[in-house]
C-alpha cells in the first residue's frame, strides 16, 4: 500500500530525487562523517511535508510515540538498529528502564510502549517500565489497544541511581518528553539517560532545532548542489507572546509578514503558483497542540477567544510564551483521498520505518497532528536504504530513500541541538543557578 | 514456508531452546562482550544440523556465496548490518572493490555477487567488481541466473594499492576463498582486505576452527548451564593422508574409531538410539568436495578407487593431505519430504537471514552440500533476533532464535580463528619465510 502523490511530479522535487540518487555514495559518506562527530540520537521521528516542489521536515520528535504504527515487517530493522543504539549506552550491562508518558488512557500510546519494550528486549536486554505517574505506589497493569498488558512500576531512587523494585538498570530510556519539566527523581543520577533530560520540552525549543537545521541543510545543499530552500522551511520566532492577554500580537504579525514575504519570493523564483502560508506554533510544544495556519499578518491580529484559548496552553497545562512562525509546506500526498504526511522513524543512524499520518478533516495547508488523525502503518512498501537506482525518480523506493535522507538531516540537526543543550546545562553558571 | 521438524521435538533440544530463551539477556550481553574483545567477521555463513537432540554447526564459511538464496524481504537487514560492517573498514571513504570467485559459468553464484554488490551499494558505497580471472584483459559482462548483468573488471595493482581501471577503492571485500593460494596481486597491499587473506582456504583449517569452537562452546555452555556436547560435534584430525597412494589409512581408521567411541558414550548417556556416524572431510576443503560419511573404522580401510579419487583432490585441484574426522549430526529436518539443513547468514554481528539446503537424493546422515542440492530461500519465516518468548520451544520464532545463537557462536569462533591466523602470519619467522 503505497500512497500515490496527487502532484504530477514534474519540476524541482524530481530533480532533487535524481540528485540524491546520483550522489548516494557521497551522501552516505557525508552522513558517516557526521555521525563520527556527533552522537546520533537514540531514536527520533521526523514529520515531513512533500509539496511536490519541496520536501522538508516540519517537526522532529526525540521521544517518538508511534512505534505501534510501524509496519510489523520492519521490526527486525528496529531490533538491529536498537542493538547498535543500546550498545553505545550499556555495552556491559543488560537492564534497561523505559520511562514512558503518564498517559494511562491512551491505549495506542500504551501499545507503542509495548512495542518499544519488545524492541529493546529483542536487542538482548531485560526491560522494565518505570512510571512517573504521581502517587503510583505499586505496580499497575494496563491493557493496550492491541490487548497486550503493560506493567507500569513506580520509579524508585536509591542514592544516585534509579530503578524499580528489585531492578537496577544500567540506563534509562526516556519515552516521556518532560513537558512538565525535568523531574527531580531523574536529576543528577549516575545512570545514563537517553535522550538526555535536556532534550525534553522544558528546555528544548523548535526554533533552536531549526536554527541548527539551517546549518545542516546548507551543508547538505552544498554537497548535492541544490538551493537549500527545497529541503528547508523558512522560519522566525517571537519570544514574548501571551495569547490570553493579547500580548505580542505585533511581533507575531510582523514575523508572519516576514516569513510570507520570503516564501513569496521563492515561489516567484521557481514559478510556483500556490498561495504561501505559515504555521504558528508553540516553540516548546508537542502533541500537535498550540498550532495554527495563517495566510496573512491579519490572521494573527484580533484572534477570537476560541483560537486564543487554543493557542494559550499546551500539553501538561504549560502556557505558551514563545512561538515559532514556520513557512507552511503544502502536503500534496494523499491516502485514499485524505490528506497525508509521511512520518519517518529512526533508531540510531538507521531509518527503521515510517507511516503516513492521514486526516480526512484537514486541508493540504493544515497541521495533521490533531484529533481525528489516523495512521497508515503499511504505507512504506520499501525500506529507505534500498533505492532502486535504475528506476525513475518518483518510484516508491526512490521517493522513500529521499524521505530517509531528509529525515536523517533533521536527526543530525537534533544531534547537534542536544549537544548544545547538554553543554549549556553543564555550563558553570547554569549549574550554580540549579544548585 | 517453515519446514517442520520430523522429529517429535521432545527431549534435550527443547530443553536447550527453553534455556536459550530464558537466558536471552545474559546471552546477548555475553555476545556484546565477546564482540568488544574480538573483531567480528565482515560476513559469514554457518551450516547447522539439527538432530532433535543436538543442534550444532558443522561448517563455517567466511566467504558466503549464497546471498541470492536469502529471503528478499530481509535484504534491508543485510543493508543495515553492512552499514555497520563497512563503517569499521572504511569510515571515511566510499569505494569498495568486491573480489569474487572466478566462476563465470555458475550463474547462481554470479547472482550472489550481484546481490552482494547491491547490499554494499545500499549501505552507501560505490562498488566495482575486480576479478582475478587469469588473462582477463578487459571488462567482461556476464548474465546471472536472475538475468542481471555483472561487470567483471581485471584487478590492477599500482604500487601498494589495487583497484580497477579508474577506481581506487578504500578496501577490498573478498568473496573468493583463495583455495588456490593467496594471489600475489593481493599480498602486502595497503588497503584493508576483508576477510583478511589469511582466512582463505590456503591457510585456514577446519580443525583449527573447531578447536577454537570447543572453547567458545564450553564458555557458552557454562553460561547457560548445559553439556557443551549439545551444541558441539566431537572431532579429530589426521595430518598426513594421501588417498591416491593409500597413505595414512591407519591414522584415519583409529581416529574414526576414537570419534565414534566418544559419540557412542554420549548417545548412551542420553538414551539416544540412533547409530553414531562420522564425516571425513578435507581439512582445508570447501564446496562440499572431499567429504564422506562413515559408520565404522572399516569404512575408511580399503576404499575403492572411485571413493579415493573423490577424496584425493578438491577445489582448484588442490590435493587433500589433511583430514578432519567430525562427529556426524543427523539432520531431522525436512522440506517437502526431502532432507534439509539450515544455513544461517550473518553480516557483522547480525543474523541477516538464512535458507534451507535441501537434497532429495541424500540421507539424514549425509553431506547435503553436493550436486543436486536446492535452496529454499523463503524458509525463515521470522528473523533470528525476535523470539516469541511467550511461545513454546519449537515454535518457529524460537527455533530460529536458537539457530541464530548457535550460528553466532560459530562466527565468534571464526573471529578468534582469524585473529590467530593473522597473528601467525605477522610473526617474524613467517614474514622471513615469505620474504
Amino acid at each position: 500500500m503505497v500512497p500515490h502523490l496527487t502532484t504530477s511530479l514534474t519540476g524541482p522535487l524530481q530533480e532533487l530525487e535524481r540528485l540524491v540518487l546520483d550522489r548516494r555514495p557521497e551522501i552516505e559518506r557525508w552522513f558517516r562523517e557526521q555521525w563520527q562527530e556527533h552522537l546520533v540520537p537514540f531514536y527520533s521521528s521526523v514529520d515531513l511535508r512533500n509539496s511536490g516542489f519541496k520536501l522538508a521536515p516540519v517537526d522532529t520528535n526525540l521521544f517518538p510515540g508511534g512505534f505501534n504504527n510501524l509496519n510489523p515487517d520492519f521490526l527486525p530493522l528496529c531490533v538491529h538498529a536498537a542493538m547498535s543504539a543500546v550498545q553505545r549506552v550499556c555495552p556491559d550491562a543488560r537492564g534497561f528502564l523505559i520511562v514512558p508518558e503518564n498517559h494511562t488512557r491512551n491505549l495506542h500510546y500504551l501499545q507503542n510502549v509495548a512495542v518499544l519494550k519488545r524492541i529493546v528486549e529483542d536487542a538482548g536486554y531485560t526491560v522494565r517500565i518505570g512510571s512517573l505517574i504521581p502517587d503510583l505506589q505499586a505496580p499497575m497493569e494496563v491493557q493496550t489497544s492491541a490487548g497486550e498488558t503493560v506493567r507500569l512500576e513506580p520509579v524508585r531512587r536509591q542514592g544516585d541511581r534509579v530503578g524499580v523494585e528489585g531492578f537496577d538498570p544500567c540506563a534509562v530510556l526516556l519515552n516521556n518528553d518532560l513537558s512538565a519539566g525535568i523531574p527531580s527523581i531523574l536529576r543528577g543520577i549516575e545512570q545514563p539517560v537517553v535522550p538526555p533530560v535536556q532534550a525534553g520540552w522544558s528546555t528544548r525549543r523548535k526554533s533552536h532545532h531549526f536554527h541548527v537545521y539551517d546549518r545542516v541543510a546548507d551543508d547538505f545543499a552544498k554537497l548535492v548542489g541544490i538551493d537549500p530552500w527545497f529541503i528547508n522551511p523558512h522560519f522566525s520566532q517571537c519570544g514574548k507572546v501571551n495569547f490570553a492577554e493579547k500580548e505580542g500580537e505585533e511581533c507575531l504579525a510582523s514575523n508572519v509578514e516576514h516569513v510570507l514575504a520570503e516564501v513569496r519570493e521563492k515561489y516567484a523564483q521557481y514559478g510556483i503558483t500556490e498561495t504561501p502560508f505559515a504555521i504558528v506554533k508553540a516553540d516548546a510544544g508537542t502533541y500537535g497542540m498550540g498550532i495554527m495556519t495563517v495566510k496573512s499578518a491579519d490572521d494573527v491580529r484580533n484572534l477570537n477567544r476560541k483560537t486564543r484559548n487554543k493557542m494559550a496552553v499546551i500539553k501538561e497545562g504549560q502556557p505558551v510564551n514563545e512561538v515559532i512562525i514556520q513557512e507552511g509546506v503544502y502536503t500534496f500526498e494523499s491516502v485514499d483521498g485524505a490528506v497525508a504526511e509521511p512520518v519517518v522513524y529512526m533508531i540510531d543512524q538507521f531509518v527503521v520505518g515510517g507511516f503516513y499520518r492521514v486526516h480526512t478533516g484537514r486541508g493540504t495547508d493544515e497541521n495533521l497532528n490533531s484529533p481525528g488523525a489516523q495512521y497508515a502503518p503499511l504505507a512504506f512498501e520499501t525500506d529507505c536504504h534500498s533505492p532502486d537506482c535504475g528506476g525513475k525518480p518518483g518510484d516508491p523506493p526512490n521517493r522513500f530513500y529521499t524521505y530517509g535522507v531528509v529525515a536523517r538531516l533533521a536527526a543530525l540537526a537534533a544531534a547537534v541541538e542536544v549537544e548544545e543543550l547538554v553543554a549549556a546545562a553543564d555550563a558553570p553558571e547554569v549549574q550554580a543557578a540549579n544548585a
Side-chain angles (χ1 to χ4, degrees), chain A:
Chain A
M1 185 183 125
V2 175
H4 51 274
L5 289 172
T6 55
T7 175
S8 62
L9 284 175
T10 54
L13 182 59
Q14 271 199 305
E15 178 64 20
L16 172 62
E17 286 181 31
R18 183 75 270 161
L19 283 168
V20 166
L21 292 175
D22 286 348
R23 310 259 159 103
R24 185 158 54 124
E26 288 92 332
I27 291 170
E28 294 298 332
R29 173 197 190 179
W30 182 83
F31 272 120
R32 283 195 296 275
E33 287 167 359
Q34 301 301 315
W35 296 134
Q36 288 180 325
E37 284 172 36
H38 304 290
L39 181 65
V40 62
F42 186 94
Y43 50 17
S44 57
S45 70
V46 176
D47 295 354
L48 297 177
R49 302 275 287 205
N50 182 352
S51 66
F53 50 85
K54 180 165 187 160
L55 172 60
V58 296
D59 201 10
T60 304
N61 188 348
L62 290 170
F63 307 92
F67 281 98
N68 54 311
N69 290 327
L70 297 183
N71 184 331
D73 287 347
F74 284 179
L75 283 185
L77 282 178
C78 294
V79 173
H80 278 191
M83 288 174 79
S84 296
V86 292
Q87 219 154 337
R88 281 182 221 281
V89 184
C90 284
D92 303 322
R94 55 183 197 234
F96 246 83
L97 186 72
I98 294 179
V99 173
E101 298 286 344
N102 291 350
H103 323 312
T104 51
R105 272 178 266 178
N106 183 336
L107 306 190
H108 293 302
Y109 176 75
L110 290 172
Q111 179 59 19
N112 161 71
V113 174
V115 173
L116 185 58
K117 176 169 184 273
R118 195 169 320 129
I119 289 168
V120 181
E121 283 176 342
D122 285 354
Y125 288 78
T126 305
V127 179
R128 303 264 289 268
I129 299 172
S131 174
L132 297 174
I133 293 172
D135 306 324
L136 183 69
Q137 297 299 333
M140 171 169 71
E141 300 208 328
V142 285
Q143 295 276 315
T144 74
S145 56
E148 295 187 40
T149 301
V150 166
R151 184 182 167 88
L152 305 171
E153 303 180 69
V155 176
R156 307 265 187 234
R157 178 150 175 172
Q158 274 205 310
D160 286 343
R161 298 186 69 83
V162 295
V164 292
E165 186 68 34
F167 182 68
D168 181 31
C170 72
V172 174
L173 176 57
L174 275 184
N175 197 248
N176 181 314
D177 66 22
L178 306 182
S179 281
I182 302 172
S184 56
I185 200 169
L186 293 182
R187 282 179 189 266
I189 60 172
E190 64 177 50
Q191 292 132 310
V193 178
V194 288
V197 290
Q198 292 82 9
W201 280 120
S202 64
T203 35
R204 205 183 160 211
R205 292 294 176 270
K206 286 181 176 29
S207 53
H208 177 205
H209 175 72
F210 283 101
H211 273 298
V212 178
Y213 185 76
D214 279 347
R215 308 197 305 257
V216 169
D218 284 352
D219 287 350
F220 180 81
K222 213 167 287 166
L223 180 75
V224 297
I226 54 166
D227 181 342
W229 179 72
F230 287 120
I231 53 167
N232 190 8
H234 279 300
F235 75 97
S236 190
Q237 65 202 98
C238 284
K240 294 207 167 136
V241 173
N242 186 325
F243 286 98
E245 307 291 332
K246 291 190 170 196
E247 283 167 23
E249 231 172 56
E250 271 318 303
C251 174
L252 260 182
S254 65
N255 277 288
V256 165
E257 186 43 46
H258 170 69
V259 167
L260 290 176
E262 286 188 307
V263 178
R264 258 190 298 270
E265 199 177 305
K266 284 293 178 184
Y267 276 21
Q269 180 182 345
Y270 293 107
I272 295 159
T273 55
E274 311 293 333
T275 308
F277 71 103
I279 299 284
V280 176
K281 47 189 171 183
D283 206 4
T286 179
Y287 277 64
M289 296 170 84
I291 298 187
M292 60 189 279
T293 297
V294 296
K295 296 202 170 167
S296 80
D298 282 345
D299 286 354
V300 292
R301 290 195 182 98
N302 299 312
L303 292 172
N304 63 31
R305 173 149 296 279
K306 190 179 159 204
T307 306
R308 285 195 282 128
N309 285 347
K310 194 187 79 171
M311 294 298 292
V313 177
I314 54 169
K315 189 178 170 229
E316 305 273 4
Q318 296 300 306
V320 174
N321 295 118
E322 295 162 74
V323 155
I324 176 173
I325 302 100
Q326 190 178 48
E327 171 187 347
V329 181
Y330 284 96
T331 183
F332 285 174
E333 293 197 85
S334 66
V335 174
D336 297 335
V339 177
E341 67 187 12
V343 182
V344 175
Y345 267 61
M346 286 158 284
I347 296 179
D348 204 73
Q349 60 177 286
F350 304 104
V351 175
V352 295
F355 51 81
Y356 278 88
R357 184 183 287 127
V358 183
H359 206 305
T360 51
R362 294 287 170 131
T364 59
D365 59 355
E366 285 184 292
N367 166 48
L368 304 185
N369 190 3
S370 58
Q374 292 180 304
Y375 299 89
L378 299 171
F380 284 86
E381 206 173 50
T382 128
D383 76 298
C384 290
H385 281 298
S386 301
D388 171 11
C389 286
K392 282 175 302 191
D395 283 354
N398 295 334
R399 162 127 313 125
F400 293 144
Y401 177 73
T402 312
Y403 284 6
V405 168
V406 175
R408 284 187 284 164
L409 294 176
L412 175 58
V416 176
E417 180 198 355
V418 171
E419 276 168 14
E420 293 179 359
L421 285 166
V422 170
D426 287 347
E429 63 273 24
V430 176
Q431 296 203 315
N434 284 340

